[in-house]
Amino acid sequence: MNPSQRRYDIDALRVIAFGLLILYHCGMFYVADWGWHVKSEHLSVLLQEPMRFTNQWRMSLLFIISGLAVSIVWQRYTPGQLARKRLWRLGLPLVFGALVIIVPQPYYEILSQDVIERGYFKFWWQYLTYHDFPGEAWRGEDSLTTWNHLWYLPYVLLYTLVLTAFGALMPKAVLAARQRFQQLRGGAILLLPLLPLMLYGNFVFPHWPYIDHGLLNDFYAHALFGTLFLFGFLIGRADAIWTSIKQWRWVWLLLGIMSYVLLRAQSVWVSEEPSVIINQLSMLNIYVNRLSWILALLAWSFVLLNRPLPGLAYCTAAVFPWYVLHQTITVAAGYEFSQLGLGPVVEPIAVLGTTIVGCAVLYEFVIRRNRVLSVLFGGPIVTQPKAADAVD
C-alpha cells in the first residue's frame, strides 16, 4: 500500500464510531435501570439491547482506531515530535473541556437532585474552587478532575506517550514488533490479541472489576484499552494483513453474530456461580465477540468505505469538536426539555435534534471560524477542512 495514500475507510469508521457514541449518550438519558448524570421520566427497557450490543465493542473500536491513526503518522515525525503534537492536540482540549465544556454536566446533575437552586455561574465558581456540596453531588466530585465523557482523551494520550517513549528508546524493537505482527493472517489476527485479553480477564478484572475512568487506578481499563490501542498500532496499513482482514470479513461477521447470540444466552443460562470451565468459556466468548465485531467493522469499512466520500473531509475535521461538545448539550437539553412535559415521543426527538443541531451550528459558525477555539477543540483553523488534520 502506498504510504502516501489516504485511508478513507479509517476516517469514515472514526466518524461512524463517534456518531454511535453521540447516539449512545442520548440513549443513556432514556434507558431504564442504567444510571447516568440525568434521567428522563420516560424510560425504556427496549433501549437496553441495542446499547448492550454496542457496549461490547464501541469504545474498544475507538482505541484501535486511535492506534491506527498513530501508526499511519508514525514515520512522519520523530517520537518526540509526535509526543509533543499529541500533548497539544489532546491535552489542551482536555483541560479546556474539564474547566469549561464539562461544567454544565455536574450542574444539571446536582440540580436534578434538588441540592442547589438554579444559578449556573455561581455553581461554576464553586465547582472551580472545589466547593463541598452535600452528599455525592455528581460523579467524580471526589476527584480533582471531572472529565466525564472526555476520559477517552487522557487514556489515548497516556498510551501514545508510552508508545512514543518506547519508540525513542527502542526504535528497532518497535519496528520489528510491527513487522512480525503484520505477518499474521486469518484467524491468527484474532487469536493473538485474544490471549492477553484472557489473561486480563483472569488476573486483572477480578481485582479491578469496574472501569471508573479515573486514570490512576483503572487497571483493567488500561490493560484492555491499552492492548487494543497497541493492536491498532501494530496492524498499521500493511497491504498483506489488511488483505487478510478483508478476505475473512464474512468469517468475522458470522463469528460476531454467533458469539453475541451465545453471549445473550449465557446471561440467562449460566448461574451466578458457574464452574471454572463454564466461567472460562463465558469469558472466552465475551472477548471473541468483542474482537470479531471490531475485525468485521474494520474489514467491511475497508471494502465499502476506502474511497473519497462526499463530505468525509469535513466530517473528519468536525468529529473531534462534536465529541467534546455533544454530551454537555445532551445533558442540558435533556434536563430542560424534561421540565416541559413534552411526552415520550417529542422529548427524545427534541433532545437528539438539539444535540445534533447544537454541535453542527457551534462547530460551523463558532469553532471552525475562530483560531483560538479551533485549537481549544483539538484542531487548527481551516478554511476548507482536510481529513488529514484530524489524523495528525
Side-chain angles (χ1 to χ4, degrees):
M1 187 174 294
N2 185 346
S4 64
Q5 182 179 351
R6 187 75 194 169
R7 282 298 302 273
Y8 299 103
D9 55 313
I10 296 174
D11 292 335
L13 192 56
R14 182 171 178 265
V15 171
I16 292 169
F18 276 109
L20 284 174
L21 185 66
I22 293 173
L23 291 175
Y24 183 89
H25 286 151
C26 286
M28 284 299 296
F29 187 56
Y30 294 100
V31 64
D33 302 325
W34 295 8
W36 203 49
H37 308 287
V38 292
K39 300 292 287 189
S40 173
E41 65 177 19
H42 307 295
L43 301 177
S44 171
V45 176
L46 295 177
L47 283 174
Q48 290 182 2
E49 196 56 44
M51 294 175 71
R52 187 179 288 116
F53 168 68
T54 62
N55 269 345
Q56 267 290 292
W57 47 262
R58 60 181 180 83
M59 289 309 303
S60 297
L61 176 64
L62 283 174
F63 281 100
I64 284 184
I65 292 172
S66 296
L68 280 166
V70 171
S71 182
I72 288 172
V73 300
W74 186 254
Q75 294 181 338
R76 297 186 197 174
Y77 311 104
T78 67
Q81 289 172 334
L82 182 57
R84 290 192 296 272
K85 194 174 183 65
R86 290 292 168 158
L87 274 169
W88 181 261
R89 297 293 294 272
L90 299 178
L92 192 58
L94 174 62
V95 173
F96 174 70
L99 297 178
V100 179
I101 304 300
I102 293 297
V103 182
Q105 297 182 38
Y107 169 70
Y108 281 107
E109 186 171 352
I110 193 173
L111 193 63
S112 69
Q113 301 173 34
D114 296 322
V115 175
I116 62 171
E117 296 181 352
R118 282 186 178 269
Y120 174 71
F121 290 103
K122 177 182 178 181
F123 169 82
W124 193 2
W125 174 250
Q126 293 173 330
Y127 171 87
L128 293 176
T129 54
Y130 305 110
H131 180 83
D132 186 19
F133 291 93
E136 187 178 349
W138 65 82
R139 300 181 182 201
E141 184 193 10
D142 56 346
S143 64
L144 295 178
T145 55
T146 303
W147 44 47
N148 285 3
H149 71 288
L150 298 183
W151 69 268
Y152 164 78
L153 299 182
Y155 283 56
V156 170
L157 180 57
L158 173 63
Y159 307 151
T160 304
L161 294 178
V162 171
L163 183 60
T164 53
F166 274 100
L169 297 173
M170 298 180 290
K172 293 182 179 179
V174 172
L175 177 61
R178 295 181 73 190
Q179 291 173 340
R180 291 292 296 274
F181 191 89
Q182 290 168 1
Q183 293 173 6
L184 295 177
R185 302 291 180 268
I189 301 172
L190 183 146
L191 290 175
L192 188 60
L194 184 61
L195 295 176
L197 296 188
M198 287 294 292
L199 289 175
Y200 305 151
N202 277 287
F203 300 107
V204 182
F205 182 79
H207 301 287
W208 295 278
Y210 301 105
I211 295 178
D212 66 7
H213 306 153
L215 188 66
L216 296 181
N217 60 349
D218 212 2
F219 296 107
Y220 177 69
H222 289 314
L224 173 64
F225 295 135
T227 296
L228 294 171
F229 175 88
L230 180 62
F231 181 49
F233 173 77
L234 293 175
I235 289 175
R237 57 187 302 160
D239 283 326
I241 193 170
W242 277 99
T243 298
S244 186
I245 291 173
K246 179 181 71 173
Q247 290 173 341
W248 279 57
R249 61 190 181 278
W250 287 108
V251 176
W252 310 134
L253 181 59
L254 292 175
L255 191 57
I257 292 172
M258 291 188 296
S259 59
Y260 187 74
V261 171
L262 185 58
L263 184 67
R264 300 304 301 129
Q266 73 188 43
S267 68
V268 177
W269 296 339
V270 176
S271 65
E272 294 183 2
E273 297 183 1
S275 66
V276 173
I277 294 177
I278 295 298
N279 183 59
Q280 292 299 306
L281 291 175
S282 298
M283 187 189 307
L284 177 65
N285 186 61
I286 288 172
Y287 292 128
V288 166
N289 179 259
R290 177 167 294 154
L291 292 171
S292 297
W293 281 110
I294 288 171
L295 287 169
L297 289 164
L298 291 175
W300 284 100
S301 297
F302 187 52
V303 171
L304 301 175
L305 302 177
N306 194 18
R307 53 192 174 85
L309 299 168
L312 179 59
Y314 182 90
C315 291
T316 304
V319 70
F320 199 134
W322 276 54
Y323 160 69
V324 174
L325 287 169
H326 80 276
Q327 185 166 292
T328 291
I329 298 175
T330 298
V331 168
Y335 180 86
E336 295 295 350
F337 285 133
S338 69
Q339 307 302 302
L340 302 179
L342 300 178
V345 176
V346 175
E347 184 188 290
I349 293 174
V351 171
L352 178 60
T354 300
T355 301
I356 294 173
V357 172
C359 288
V361 170
L362 287 172
Y363 172 69
E364 174 59 28
F365 297 105
V366 180
I367 298 169
R368 181 170 174 258
R369 301 168 188 270
N370 184 287
R371 184 179 299 274
V372 174
L373 284 177
S374 177
V375 172
L376 290 174
F377 279 89
I381 187 71
V382 285
T383 305
Q384 294 180 339
K386 297 180 180 180
D389 291 332
V391 173
D392 290 353

